[in-house]
Amino acid sequence: MKFQGSDHYVATQDLMLAVNAAVTLQRPLLVKGEPGTGKTMLAEEVATAMKMPLLQWHIKSTTKAQQGLYEYDAVSRLRDSQLADPESADKVRDIRNYIVQGVLWQAFTAEQPVVLLIDEIDKADIEFPNDLLRELDRMEFYVYETRELIKARHRPIVFITSNNEKELPDAFLRRCFFHYIKFPDAETMQRIVDVHFPGLKKDLLSAALKTFYDVRNLPGLKKKPSTSELLDWLKLLVAEDIPLQALQSKDEKVSVPPLVGALLKNEQDVTLFEKLVFMQRHNR
C-alpha cells in the first residue's frame, strides 16, 4: 500500500515519493524542515491513511536511548522486597514485573505493523542516534536482566523528525532515507489553507497570504513565521471578524497586520518589522 496523501494533509509529490521509498527500502525516513512545516503530522497522517497504529516517542534534551527500549525499576523492586506480605514476595521473585517497556519494545512486539515516530531527535545529546543504530538497523535488542532477545514481529514504518538544531552522525544518516520539507510556496500554501478553512473567502485569503509572505520575507528576522502560525493567524482573523481592508494597504506598501503577535514571536522581530513600516511610510 502506497501513501497518496490524505484529505487532512497536503503532501507534495516529492514527499509522497520519499515516504514510499522509505517503506520500500525498509529504512527510517528522516524528515527535516523548519518548525511548523508538518513533520510530526506526516507520521500521524501516514498511520491514518495506511490504517496502522501510531506509536510516538517525543525526545527531550534529557532523553536516553535506553528509555526507548526498556527500563529496569530497581527502586520499586527494593521497596517491594522490604514488605512482609506474601503477594509482594511473589512479585519480587520475577524480575519481569519491574521491566518497563519502552516505545521501541512496544513497536517490535505489536501484533500488527505500526508506524513509529521518533520526534525531534536533534534535541537529545550527540550520542543518542548512535545508541540506536543497531536496534533500528536489525530491529532487535537484548534485555540483560531477563536474558532474552526482543525481535520485531513486523518491521515498523519509522519516521524520525529533526529541526536541524544539531548535526546527526554520518553512521546514523547512512541508515536513513532523507527528505527535507521545503517551506510551501504560495500555491501549495493555498491548498493547505483550503484544507483547514474550506469556506474562507478568496479575497481575504489572497490578502492574508500576501501579508504573511511579506512578513516572512523580511530580511533579518530571528524567527520566520511558519505554516502552523499562519493557520493560527487565519483562525484569529476569522474569529475576530477582521475586515479585508485591515489587511490591505492603499499604496501597496508593507503595513503592520492585525494580531501580528500570532506571526512574530519575539520583540526583536516586532521592532524590526515596525521600523521597516515606519521607513517605508516616510520614504527613507
Side-chain angles (χ1 to χ4, degrees):
M1 183 178 181
K2 291 186 177 293
F3 178 60
Q4 306 274 338
S6 73
D7 295 336
H8 307 289
Y9 188 89
V10 176
T12 58
Q13 189 64 32
D14 58 340
L15 179 56
M16 289 187 284
L17 284 172
V19 171
N20 294 322
V23 173
T24 301
L25 293 173
Q26 296 187 326
R27 298 278 189 182
L29 177 59
L30 174 61
V31 186
K32 290 188 178 183
E34 292 182 28
T37 50
K39 299 184 297 295
T40 301
M41 190 181 295
L42 173 63
E44 297 171 355
E45 292 301 322
V46 170
T48 301
M50 295 189 170
K51 298 179 180 179
M52 298 168 64
L54 174 66
L55 296 179
Q56 304 186 49
W57 186 14
H58 298 284
I59 307 303
K60 300 178 181 179
S61 59
T62 56
T63 303
K64 301 300 179 184
Q66 182 64 34
Q67 294 172 318
L69 306 178
Y70 70 93
E71 291 183 280
Y72 169 47
D73 191 355
V75 175
S76 293
R77 193 182 190 196
L78 175 62
R79 185 179 63 246
D80 289 345
S81 68
Q82 296 171 340
L83 300 176
D85 61 283
E87 184 178 343
S88 296
D90 291 338
K91 182 180 178 182
V92 169
R93 290 191 189 96
D94 189 353
I95 196 172
R96 287 178 176 81
N97 293 321
Y98 301 92
I99 300 292
V100 181
Q101 296 181 3
V103 179
L104 265 69
W105 187 325
Q106 297 171 39
F108 287 3
T109 56
E111 295 183 357
Q112 66 180 100
V114 303
V115 172
L116 172 62
L117 170 64
I118 303 176
D119 198 28
E120 298 188 331
I121 194 172
D122 52 325
K123 282 187 176 180
D125 64 56
I126 191 62
E127 293 303 322
F128 181 89
N130 285 331
D131 292 342
L132 289 177
L133 284 179
R134 179 185 175 89
E135 290 76 11
L136 291 177
D137 196 26
R138 299 194 179 186
M139 288 288 153
E140 64 180 33
F141 63 90
Y142 190 73
V143 183
Y144 293 95
E145 288 79 2
T146 61
R147 299 177 183 177
E148 61 181 323
L149 182 67
I150 304 298
K151 286 188 174 185
R153 292 184 184 179
H154 310 280
R155 194 176 190 97
I157 299 176
V158 182
F159 289 85
I160 302 172
T161 71
S162 169
N163 289 326
N164 236 0
E165 291 184 5
K166 63 168 67 84
E167 291 296 322
L168 300 175
D170 289 345
F172 181 81
L173 295 175
R174 184 170 60 83
R175 290 165 169 82
C176 299
F177 189 91
F178 172 76
H179 182 76
Y180 183 87
I181 297 182
K182 298 176 183 177
F183 193 81
D185 56 26
E187 182 181 347
T188 305
M189 187 66 82
Q190 185 164 344
R191 290 168 54 204
I192 293 172
V193 173
D194 287 342
V195 168
H196 294 271
F197 300 96
L200 195 63
K201 294 179 180 178
K202 289 186 177 180
D203 52 355
L204 178 61
L205 173 58
S206 179
L209 285 179
K210 181 183 182 304
T211 300
F212 172 76
Y213 280 103
D214 284 344
V215 174
R216 180 176 167 80
N217 293 331
L218 178 66
L221 282 184
K222 187 175 181 180
K223 183 196 176 304
K224 294 185 177 184
S226 66
T227 305
S228 62
E229 286 159 335
L230 169 63
L231 296 176
D232 287 344
W233 184 53
L234 288 173
K235 184 177 181 179
L236 287 173
L237 293 180
V238 173
E240 297 296 329
D241 197 22
I242 301 297
L244 176 63
Q245 293 74 17
L247 299 177
Q248 294 176 326
S249 176
K250 294 181 181 178
D251 52 9
E252 294 298 320
K253 292 183 178 180
V254 178
S255 59
V256 178
L259 304 166
V260 70
L263 299 175
L264 299 177
K265 298 299 179 67
N266 62 66
E267 62 276 12
Q268 296 99 318
D269 288 347
V270 173
T271 301
L272 178 65
F273 189 64
E274 289 174 344
K275 284 182 179 178
L276 173 66
V277 172
F278 178 81
M279 291 172 64
Q280 283 201 353
R281 285 178 178 172
H282 291 77
N283 295 319
R284 292 182 182 177

